[in-house]
Amino acid sequence: MAKTASTRYPILTHIAERWSPRAFDDRLVAPDDLMALFEAARWTSSCFNAQPWRFVYANRGEPGFATLLSCLRDTNASWAQHAAVLVIAVAKATHEDGSPNGHAIHDLGQAMATLTLEATARGLHVHQIHHL
């Protein structure tokens, strides 16, 4: 389903077409498409090029899917169980020398934005859920 935002000023099509569904069809995500999302995130800028984000994922039907689903609140798990892929995104809060990385969450957010735009360009949708 395509939904394009009605913007006040012209913006990139992939930004205007981005939305967060809570209903999904039965199609799985092709492995090359999924890896392209992570590749897009990999090329995101970050403080000191630290790339403090990590992704843990499982496709629907794989053993790890239920484990990732169990990390969600029941209200989110009720619809997320139908997603083709679940991804947990985390940020490493320290630099390699052990000093605090105060930019890690910001950098993770940028990586998720890049991943999301790549997904939209491929006709896929991402619904982010924030849990701390």
Side-chain angles (χ1 to χ4, degrees):
M1 170 188 259
K3 285 182 153 184
T4 303
S6 176
T7 61
R8 292 182 185 168
Y9 301 95
I11 62 174
L12 294 173
T13 302
H14 299 311
I15 296 172
E17 291 177 348
R18 189 223 51 86
W19 63 289
S20 301
R22 290 188 197 176
F24 305 95
D25 61 28
D26 290 338
R27 291 180 293 167
L28 295 177
V29 176
D32 286 346
D33 284 333
L34 182 58
M35 291 303 108
L37 304 185
F38 297 133
E39 182 69 6
R42 185 173 80 91
W43 283 96
T44 303
S45 61
S46 62
C47 178
F48 297 122
N49 200 30
Q51 299 176 325
W53 52 82
R54 299 294 181 266
F55 300 105
V56 178
Y57 72 94
N59 293 293
R60 187 178 61 237
E62 294 177 349
F65 192 88
T67 301
L68 295 184
L69 191 63
S70 73
C71 296
L72 301 178
R73 293 185 180 106
D74 290 343
T75 54
N76 291 323
S78 65
W79 57 264
Q81 68 182 325
H82 303 292
V85 180
L86 291 179
V87 178
I88 301 282
V90 297
K92 184 178 181 213
T94 59
H95 290 290
E96 292 303 314
D97 66 2
S99 64
N101 182 350
H103 304 288
I105 297 297
H106 173 271
D107 292 348
L108 173 60
Q110 286 200 131
M112 284 305 303
T114 304
L115 181 150
T116 300
L117 290 176
E118 182 67 29
T120 303
R122 291 172 177 270
L124 302 170
H125 296 287
V126 173
H127 187 119
Q128 295 183 40
I129 303 168
H130 182 260
H131 290 288
L132 284 180

